Amino acid sequence: MTERYDVVVVGGGLLGCLTAWMAARDGAHVLLVDKDQVNQHASGQNAGSLHFQLEYRMVEAGEEAARVAAEAMPLHLDAAGMWARMEDEIGEPLGVRQTGGLMVAENSGQVGMLEFKAELERSWGLDVRTLDRAELDDVAPYLSRDIVAANLSALEGKADARIAAPAVGRAAIAAGATVRARSRLVGAHRVPTGWEVTLRETDRAGGERARTVRTAAVVLAAGVWTTELGRVFGAELPTVPLALTMTVTSKIPKFIPHLVQHAGARLSLKQSLDNTVLIGGGWPARLMRDANGVPAFDRKHQLIPQSIAGNARAAVNTVPALERVPAVRSWVGATTVAPDQLPLVGAVRGAPGVFVATGGSAFTLGPSFARVLTDLIAGRSPDIDLAPYDPARFAEGSVS
Ligand SMILES: Cc1cc2nc3c(=O)[nH]c(=O)nc-3n(C[C@H](O)[C@H](O)[C@H](O)COP(=O)(O)OP(=O)(O)OC[C@H]3O[C@@H](n4cnc5c(N)ncnc54)[C@H](O)[C@@H]3O)c2cc1C
């Protein structure tokens, strides 16, 4: 007999696990499928920064671009509150610490940008203070003397990307969701009650079988595979894929309590609960492509030595003590942004009952994305206006 669900969530990253958990708690009969393993991709490979200030990539293109990016602030504020409650609600550690985040500046141009940014963020309700050098001596004595000011958001911090999605996946199962790994959604067609989707399942020995299930709703929580998966539902969901570099150091006694970002360089760093320092911030890696130049997301992307070195230089320039801390491993993860830096969140035009969320810092914003997706699945209107994040905003003829 054909299995029937209220919602099939496609993707077992943090977003898919959160959506399955929340929808199951909401009373929905949920199936989550992942073509690989839970947390195998971006959600398990990222820097774990919970950043609610605008990031460097959002301010480097100037004030107008920053104003557009700031339209995601309602999602940032919502997510900040949800992360603070999440470990209690899930009932397992997720490595969440919201002990504050600094975006640092080392010249007057960057300070001017910080002042503009802080005012913009405050206009959206995010509490951000600009600290001068004397205040930084107290708050963050580990920073280089070249740092002259910083924006501080007390809400920022980190979670542990290695454990967050698996813990949420277990909570989803406890709430009644079914979770299937090695199950790839390969086809979909409309039926009177919603969608019939075809899943290609692989067993441990490599054998394959097809399974068909019926569902009223589908959530695309597929990260870099979103554009490809959208086509299965006849939808154009443009995303820009990025392969990014991460590095982790050996352990060093705790000395960095903050998330640290830079206003004029690609840099994010933080000290994890295991005392290692995670260094990232958007340094490119080589995204693998097929013979036609199409991104091949199932292949292993490659590190670029210059990116590892540039990222390390930015880290040491900002936190000089890191010069004496050996790096132990670098790796690549792939993620998506949208052309305007705002996420894609909402109903998929032309595919009734199909919803999507991706783009940008979907680890930080995952709880907020999942909450609004859960409302959409249940037919409720989310309390956050999703119009700026309309997945159809890049379609021909749409007015933005
Ligand atoms: C190096 C790096 C550092 C980053 N740092 C941060 C950070 O510090 N803070 C932050 O907020 N964000 C960060 N990000 C971005 C963040 O990691 C992603 O936005 C987020 O993890 C996306 O989560 P997701 O659940 O949507 O997607 P993913 O974690 O990519 O999961 C998508 C899942 O969908 C599955 N899937 C795809 N197609 C199918 C299909 N047809 N059938 C079944 N399953 C399918 C995949 O196997 C995958 O497991 C970083 C990204 C990278 C790469």
Side-chain angles (χ1 to χ4, degrees):
M1 221 176 71
T2 308
E3 292 176 30
R4 288 169 199 275
Y5 294 92
D6 297 321
V7 58
V8 172
V9 177
V10 189
L14 181 66
L15 175 61
C17 290
L18 283 165
T19 308
W21 170 59
M22 289 184 201
R25 273 197 325 179
D26 203 33
H29 186 38
V30 181
L31 172 65
L32 180 150
V33 292
D34 197 290
K35 63 183 176 55
D36 298 313
Q37 298 290 341
V38 165
N39 212 32
Q40 188 171 326
H41 297 286
S43 294
Q45 297 165 334
N46 70 62
S49 309
L50 301 180
H51 31 55
F52 306 112
Q53 301 184 59
L54 298 179
E55 296 165 57
Y56 173 63
R57 69 185 162 87
M58 299 166 176
V59 295
E60 68 175 331
E63 296 189 355
E64 196 37 49
R67 278 197 192 90
V68 172
E71 290 181 43
M73 210 43 85
L75 295 164
H76 293 214
L77 293 168
D78 188 55
M82 292 182 75
W83 274 109
R85 299 188 297 272
M86 191 104 72
E87 289 187 330
D88 284 344
E89 293 187 11
I90 294 288
E92 283 195 50
L94 309 171
V96 180
R97 295 290 184 280
Q98 288 172 267
T99 47
L102 295 164
M103 181 176 265
V104 304
E106 51 187 290
N107 59 44
S108 58
Q110 291 168 10
V111 174
M113 198 284 296
L114 284 189
E115 279 162 1
F116 160 79
K117 183 181 84 57
E119 205 178 308
L120 177 62
E121 290 164 339
R122 282 194 293 266
S123 75
W124 282 95
L126 182 71
D127 184 13
V128 177
R129 268 192 325 127
T130 302
L131 307 183
D132 62 18
R133 181 65 240 182
E135 289 170 293
L136 286 175
D137 283 342
D138 273 350
V139 172
Y142 57 84
L143 289 175
S144 155
R145 297 300 306 170
D146 292 340
I147 303 298
V148 293
N151 277 170
L152 169 68
S153 159
L155 297 175
E156 289 189 321
K158 62 199 168 207
D160 190 332
R162 294 166 296 186
I163 60 175
V168 178
R170 287 189 286 275
I173 293 169
T178 301
V179 175
R180 292 205 184 111
R182 296 182 303 277
S183 178
R184 181 189 284 261
L185 189 146
V186 290
H189 68 267
R190 293 275 295 145
V191 292
T193 53
W195 292 89
E196 186 169 278
V197 299
T198 306
L199 305 169
R200 196 171 66 220
E201 301 187 340
T202 313
D203 62 29
R204 286 176 199 281
E208 283 188 357
R209 55 161 280 189
R211 184 197 296 265
T212 303
V213 308
R214 289 202 170 185
T215 179
V218 179
V219 168
L220 311 183
V224 286
W225 290 271
T226 301
T227 301
E228 164 188 317
L229 196 57
R231 293 197 185 112
V232 174
F233 293 88
E236 276 305 315
L237 298 170
T239 57
V240 181
L242 301 172
L244 301 175
T245 309
M246 286 297 312
T247 294
V248 64
T249 70
S250 58
K251 295 181 185 192
I252 173 171
K254 282 235 161 8
F255 76 114
I256 309 174
H258 305 107
L259 166 65
V260 179
Q261 299 185 82
H262 202 294
R266 293 173 188 204
L267 177 67
S268 82
L269 65 85
K270 70 195 65 68
Q271 194 160 13
S272 305
L273 298 185
D274 65 7
N275 284 358
T276 59
V277 179
L278 266 180
I279 301 170
W283 286 80
R286 186 165 297 115
L287 189 73
M288 301 311 282
R289 294 179 185 271
D290 67 17
N292 301 315
V294 177
F297 297 120
D298 285 323
R299 285 171 62 188
K300 219 168 155 32
H301 309 299
Q302 287 177 354
L303 286 164
I304 299 174
Q306 292 86 336
S307 282
I308 301 174
N311 204 354
R313 239 183 343 263
V316 169
N317 287 344
T318 305
V319 179
L322 289 176
E323 186 159 28
R324 297 186 299 278
V325 186
V328 292
R329 190 167 75 90
S330 295
W331 68 93
V332 182
T335 189
T336 57
V337 291
D340 59 3
Q341 303 278 5
L342 286 171
L344 262 54
V345 188
V348 174
R349 189 187 287 175
V354 181
F355 308 104
V356 67
T358 193
S361 298
F363 186 82
T364 298
L365 301 181
S368 191
F369 288 179
R371 196 173 70 79
V372 298
L373 288 169
T374 302
D375 281 338
L376 293 171
I377 294 163
R380 297 185 296 263
S381 253
D383 57 9
I384 292 178
D385 175 14
L386 299 183
Y389 328 124
D390 184 356
R393 66 187 181 278
F394 304 109
E396 227 168 279
S398 80
V399 182
S400 58

